[in-house]
């Protein structure tokens, strides 16, 4: 985007979200439910769990090294039931779906670098010094991106924030019986018009909601507008030109796995910033925190949110990169899109000073060896207020602002 984000007098930005009944999100939830079950009994377990689902069938695959036992078929059925697939007439349900499991241990070659990093070997750190942050190496190479902006109280882009709220509301009115004809699958999409980088109005709202076959399109469109869209989209952002599209094809009865094959990690933009930031490419769900695809992406969000909360920039994108088996990041870069109040190079210096981004330090500071991940698998990993989302804290904002030489009273510290 560069500085053009704030320079452009008018432009449109769009983000989408999906419900927990979407087939890809169903797979993400199963992957993270397996991870949580293992972490419950073995916080040091190594997990890379992938799931694929189609009509009547769930495949669970991956590499898991642990000394605990988990009942994977039961986890699958519990997760499918919780997502709302409770009736055979949906074409997919928790009682009758077939389950196949193919799990092996983590590669010994990968474990060499995770168990004992390059730095640990160079410093001859004994294996029993578990708290030495140089001991554990990154579980893979790659780059991870974090982003924050001051458009919303949670320091997230407005389109993805609204899109997630819409799908949450869609699930809520299904579960509480307000719109009992809805089925689990659903999607939202929100287009916002910006003026010089500031949200001006909601341009278009799209809702696709799976439903019972006998319900008419007119009824669905009316109800979705009344019970889903109107309670979520602020009145001040709607006008006579705002467009609403509900089930644009005119029918959405076949959904979930019978409608589309699902796969873990196929909604990475929904999971992150809705297209406002670049993405390193690594999915999150089903991966334990030694995988920097997940833990370092969380850390990058933590850094970015604190930078914006400190008022060092109005929006910021942080990129971290790692090498497998190496503890320290290979690089840290910052893009502030022309909204910074101090030089980007100084922001990078403050990041190095205030944040330890070695995998073991991230795991420790954000308390990531806990069964907290299934809830991240729906409605975004970022911008959440639940206490388990430790990477959403802005506890370093005041220190960053002080070190930057800026008045502390203007720090935009969030709720956490």
């Amino acid at each position: 985007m560069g500085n053009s984000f704030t320079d452009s007098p008018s432009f449109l930005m769009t983000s989408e979200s999906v419900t927990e009944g979407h087939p890809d999100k169903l797979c993400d939830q199963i992957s993270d439910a397996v991870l949580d079950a293992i972490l419950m009994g073995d916080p040091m377990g190594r997990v890379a769990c992938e799931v694929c689902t189609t009509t009547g069938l769930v495949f669970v695959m991956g590499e898991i090294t642990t000394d605990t036992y988990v009942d994977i078929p039961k986890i699958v059925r519990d997760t499918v039931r919780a997502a709302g697939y409770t009736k055979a007439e949906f074409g997919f349900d928790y009682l009758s779906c077939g389950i196949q499991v193919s799990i092996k241990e983590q590669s010994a070659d990968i474990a060499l670098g995770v168990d004992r990093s390059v730095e640990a070997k160079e410093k001859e750190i004994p294996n029993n010094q578990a708290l030495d942050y140089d001991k554990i190496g990154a579980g893979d190479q790659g780059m991870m991106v974090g982003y924050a902006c001051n458009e919303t109280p949670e320091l997230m882009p407005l389109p993805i924030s609204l899109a997630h709220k819409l799908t949450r509301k869609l699930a809520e009115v299904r579960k509480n019986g307000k719109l009992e004809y809805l089925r689990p699958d659903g999607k939202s999409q929100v287009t916002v018009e910006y003026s010089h980088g500031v949200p001006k109005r909601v341009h278009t709202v799209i809702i696709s909601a799976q439903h019972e076959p006998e319900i008419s399109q007119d009824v669905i469109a009316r109800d979705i507008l009344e019970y889903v869209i109107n309670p979520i989209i602020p009145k001040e952002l709607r006008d006579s030109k705002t467009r609403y599209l509900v089930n644009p094809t005119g029918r959405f009865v076949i959904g979930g796995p019978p409608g589309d094959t699902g796969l873990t990690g196929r909604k990475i933009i929904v999971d992150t910033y809705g297209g406002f930031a670049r993405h390193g490419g690594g999915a999150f769900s089903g991966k334990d925190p030694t995988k920097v695809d997940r833990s370092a992406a969380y850390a990058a969000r933590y850094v970015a949110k604190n930078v914006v909360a400190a008022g060092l920039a109005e929006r910021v994108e942080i990129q971290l990169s790692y090498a497998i088996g190496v503890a320290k990041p290979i690089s840290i870069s910052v893009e502030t899109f022309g909204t910074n109040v101090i030089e980007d190079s100084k922001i990078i210096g403050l990041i190095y000073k205030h944040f330890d981004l070695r995998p073991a330090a991230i795991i420790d500071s954000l308390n990531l060896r806990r069964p907290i991940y299934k809830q991240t698998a729906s409605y975004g990993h970022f911008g959440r207020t639940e206490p388990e989302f430790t990477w959403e804290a802005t506890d370093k904002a005041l220190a960053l602002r002080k070190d930057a030489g800026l008045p502390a009273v203007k720090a935009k510290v969030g709720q956490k």
Side-chain angles (χ1 to χ4, degrees):
M1 293 179 218
N3 295 349
S4 63
F5 195 88
T6 54
D7 294 341
S8 300
S10 180
F11 59 92
L12 302 175
M13 289 294 290
T14 300
S15 297
E16 71 162 343
S17 179
V18 299
T19 66
E20 67 258 41
H22 186 281
D24 293 331
K25 273 289 141 219
L26 186 63
C27 292
D28 286 341
Q29 291 169 89
I30 294 170
S31 293
D32 273 336
V34 172
L35 170 63
D36 279 352
I38 290 172
L39 292 179
M40 180 74 75
D42 178 14
M44 304 302 289
R46 300 278 172 78
V47 181
C49 181
E50 311 284 346
V51 175
C52 176
T53 184
T54 186
T55 304
L57 190 59
V58 178
F59 294 90
V60 182
M61 306 155 282
E63 299 80 45
I64 297 177
T65 301
T66 182
D67 60 8
T68 193
Y69 169 78
V70 297
D71 186 342
I72 290 179
K74 183 178 186 302
I75 291 169
V76 170
R77 297 193 191 282
D78 288 347
T79 305
V80 172
R81 181 180 66 235
Y85 290 103
T86 57
K87 300 178 182 179
E89 64 197 72
F90 293 171
F92 184 86
D93 72 279
Y94 78 101
L95 286 174
S96 65
C97 66
I99 300 170
Q100 293 190 9
V101 179
S102 179
I103 298 293
K104 57 184 181 295
E105 288 190 339
Q106 182 185 61
S107 163
D109 293 346
I110 294 175
L112 283 174
V114 179
D115 293 340
R116 192 167 173 79
S117 70
V118 168
E119 291 93 334
K121 295 168 185 173
E122 291 174 346
K123 292 166 62 176
E124 298 183 353
I125 299 172
N127 283 335
N128 60 2
Q129 291 187 11
L131 294 179
D132 192 304
Y133 292 152
D134 273 339
K135 178 177 179 289
I136 296 177
D140 203 352
Q141 69 176 42
M143 56 279 190
M144 298 81 211
V145 176
Y147 183 84
C149 62
N150 62 2
E151 293 178 16
T152 61
E154 62 271 25
L155 304 186
M156 287 287 285
L158 180 62
I160 188 66
S161 178
L162 292 177
H164 284 321
K165 289 176 181 178
L166 286 169
T167 49
R168 275 186 177 274
K169 194 67 174 178
L170 192 61
E172 177 187 315
V173 297
R174 171 178 61 85
K175 293 175 181 178
N176 66 19
K178 177 69 72 174
L179 301 182
E180 60 184 2
Y181 58 78
L182 292 180
R183 290 180 175 182
D185 200 356
K187 304 173 85 171
S188 71
Q189 185 170 292
V190 178
T191 300
V192 173
E193 181 179 343
Y194 284 75
S195 177
H196 297 284
V198 178
K200 180 181 178 182
R201 57 183 289 272
V202 170
H203 178 277
T204 303
V205 178
I206 304 172
I207 298 288
S208 294
Q210 187 188 15
H211 58 87
E212 301 288 348
E214 65 274 9
I215 304 300
S216 73
Q217 172 66 11
D218 289 342
V219 169
I220 295 169
R222 180 200 66 202
D223 287 350
I224 293 297
L225 182 63
E226 180 178 355
Y227 297 111
V228 178
I229 296 174
N230 286 344
I232 296 300
I233 305 298
K235 289 183 179 179
E236 62 271 19
L237 292 177
R238 290 181 269 148
D239 58 28
S240 60
K241 295 182 180 180
T242 300
R243 191 179 185 193
Y244 306 101
L245 298 172
V246 177
N247 287 0
T249 70
R251 180 179 171 88
F252 185 10
V253 174
I254 301 171
D260 289 291
T261 297
L263 187 65
T264 296
R266 206 157 56 181
K267 285 290 177 284
I268 58 176
I269 301 302
V270 171
D271 286 342
T272 52
Y273 307 102
F276 276 71
R278 284 162 281 206
H279 198 293
F284 302 155
S285 291
K287 296 178 181 176
D288 76 81
T290 67
K291 279 73 170 175
V292 284
D293 275 343
R294 180 168 224 158
S295 56
Y298 289 179
R301 163 64 177 173
Y302 179 49
V303 172
K305 189 171 184 182
N306 276 274
V307 167
V308 172
L312 306 186
E314 293 181 7
R315 62 183 69 245
V316 64
E317 180 185 86
I318 309 290
Q319 187 200 72
L320 310 177
S321 72
Y322 291 83
I324 188 169
V326 180
K328 292 181 180 179
I330 302 303
S331 68
I332 301 176
S333 68
V334 168
E335 168 63 78
T336 53
F337 309 97
T339 68
N340 52 311
V341 299
I342 63 173
E343 295 177 5
D344 285 356
S345 59
K346 291 183 179 179
I347 295 176
I348 292 175
L350 290 171
I351 292 171
Y352 274 109
K353 179 179 179 181
H354 289 272
F355 299 91
D356 190 337
L357 297 170
R358 292 173 292 179
I362 294 170
I363 291 169
D364 187 35
S365 65
L366 298 182
N367 196 12
L368 297 181
R369 291 195 189 276
R370 297 177 295 152
I372 59 173
Y373 296 105
K374 184 183 176 184
Q375 63 188 315
T376 70
S378 299
Y379 311 114
H381 294 245
F382 307 123
R384 306 280 289 272
T385 59
E386 298 94 321
E388 293 83 4
F389 289 68
T390 51
W391 48 94
E392 292 297 312
T394 54
D395 53 324
K396 293 186 180 288
L398 292 177
L400 287 170
R401 192 169 180 87
K402 181 179 179 180
D403 268 10
L406 301 174
V409 293
K410 293 184 179 180
K412 300 174 183 177
V413 180
Q415 297 178 348
K416 297 187 71 177

